[in-house]
Amino acid sequence: MSLRSTARRWTYLTHRWLGIGGCLLMLLWFVSGMVMLFVGYPKLTPAERLAALPALVDARGWQALSVLPEVVRQAPERVVLTTLRGEPAYVVRSGANVGAWSVLTGQALPPVSAQLAEVSAAQFAGGPAFVGAMPLDEDRWTHSRALDPHRPLYRVGVGGAQPGDVYVSSRTGEVVLDAPRLQQRWNYVGAWLHWLYFLRMQSVDPVWTWTVIVLSALCTVAAISGVVVGIWRWRFRGQYRSGSKTPYQEPWMRWHHLIGLMASAFVFTWIFSGLMSMNPLGVFSSTGVVIDTAHYRGGVVTVEGALAEPGRLLAASTDVGFVPVEIQWRRIGGELFAVLLDGQGDTRIVSAVEGRLRVARLLPEAWLKQKVQAMSAAPMQGFTIRQAPDAYFYARAPEAMNGAAVRRFPVAVAWFGDAEATRVYIDLATGDPLLTMGHRERAGRWLFSFLHSWDLPAALRQQNTRLGVLLLLSVAGTALCTTAAVIGYRRLRMKVRRRRP
């Protein structure tokens, strides 16, 4: 047998047996993927969190930031005044540590009990919290590493407009995740099934990770071999004796061949991009730490004067229609300012200039450009302001995987002359770096996000058309995998019958 004949035979066998082994899994991925177009994995978006907070209006008797212990104020990453357990409180984060202090008394808030967790959950849900908050470290909806500083969590059942479960931090009493019951039910045939989360035991689970990678790789090979076999079997010139371009007359085989020729390219790109979503062997992770956020923030500076008094900050931001629900203190290049947010996510920046408070909507472009240079030892090669989405920085619907990411415009974009040609998007409303991408991350964006979701800004602007096309192609993929399952079942049944005495 020639090398060519051997290669063809092994291609046929590879497609046959990997197809038999993976057709049900790929069918599961297509069906659950269609559900995910409309219902996402439970998450708490910034819009949901802010909309549930009460307004900060009466600041009488509130303590200034100086009431916090000195050890707490030495090196905080973030200080926030928000509402916890039904009362205003300071939340201070430093690394993996997070703590809360009462704004009224200046005392550290006591550990969160089940009863206090129920109060926080009821405030968030706008409905009753059922008695019996359950402490847990992790469950099927709380695998995210972002929840690690708040573990263990309290799971509280709530009523209201969207009955379900609310997860509360045991460290501060903040609501960190909400999972409406209807969303949970759809997720059992959606994201939870799509990502094979029934195999995932914890937030960092190498067994689950490599199981998904290996299965995705094998299904990718099955798809590639199917494309090759389908082209080999199609008569581009002439016809078979039956008068058809395909050799298959049996209906299931015929439809598998025809649908495969039409949809195989999309099936392959979706299976392959699903493999890429797992970032196998870290191929899409930049090798070096290029961006130094701590250097960008600057050294620790004591918050004092008017900038440390919540009452004066609230009085300074008296725009019509702007009602703050949270105050966040920031520093950039060692210079302090406060960011006030309302329930719609709108912001006001308050800074102290010669002892007086000044309010602005955005950070000054020239000032920010000077500070951003401290992000990297590499020279900054460009800095611009974008008013609209580009191919890397764009908003997604809440049900999307990255639907909770802040994507606000205008946004500053800086790029550096390091080996990765790192690009950073900085929020002009807060000064936060919202997205950092080197060569590898940008490649991952195209090989995963684009191939898997078709999420170019132009396509996202035509959302109904995009969803319609994705659904149509997903139905074709479902039909292809269904025919494969029937053919595989028949093949296995035939094998079993032949081996019976």
Side-chain angles (χ1 to χ4, degrees), residues 346-358:
D346 197 10
T347 61
R348 296 294 183 273
I349 297 170
V350 183
S351 55
V353 180
E354 297 179 353
R356 301 180 62 182
L357 296 179
R358 183 175 63 186

Side-chain angles (χ1 to χ4, degrees), residues 65-66 70 73-74 76 299-305 307-308 331 334 336:
L65 274 176
S66 57
E70 182 65 28
R73 291 185 286 129
Q74 281 181 357
V300 178
V301 180
T302 303
V303 185
E304 56 188 3
L307 204 58
R331 72 178 190 275
L336 289 162

Side-chain angles (χ1 to χ4, degrees), residues 172-183:
T172 63
E174 297 171 89
V175 170
V176 293
L177 181 72
D178 70 318
R181 190 159 293 116
L182 182 62
Q183 185 182 35

Side-chain angles (χ1 to χ4, degrees), residues 209 213 276-290 418-422 436-445 447-448:
T209 299
I213 288 174
M276 294 298 99
S277 72
M278 299 301 296
N279 190 19
L281 301 176
V283 293
F284 301 131
S285 300
S286 295
T287 54
V289 180
V290 177
D418 57 276
E420 291 288 331
T422 303
T436 301
M437 304 187 84
H439 280 315
R440 297 187 179 199
E441 287 84 3
R442 291 196 290 275
R445 179 265 182 275
L447 293 178
F448 166 49

Side-chain angles (χ1 to χ4, degrees), residues 76-77 294 296-301 329-337:
E77 287 182 6
Y296 166 65
R297 295 294 183 191
V300 178
V301 180
W329 280 267
R330 298 283 207 285
R331 72 178 190 275
I332 296 178
E335 297 186 35
L336 289 162
F337 58 93

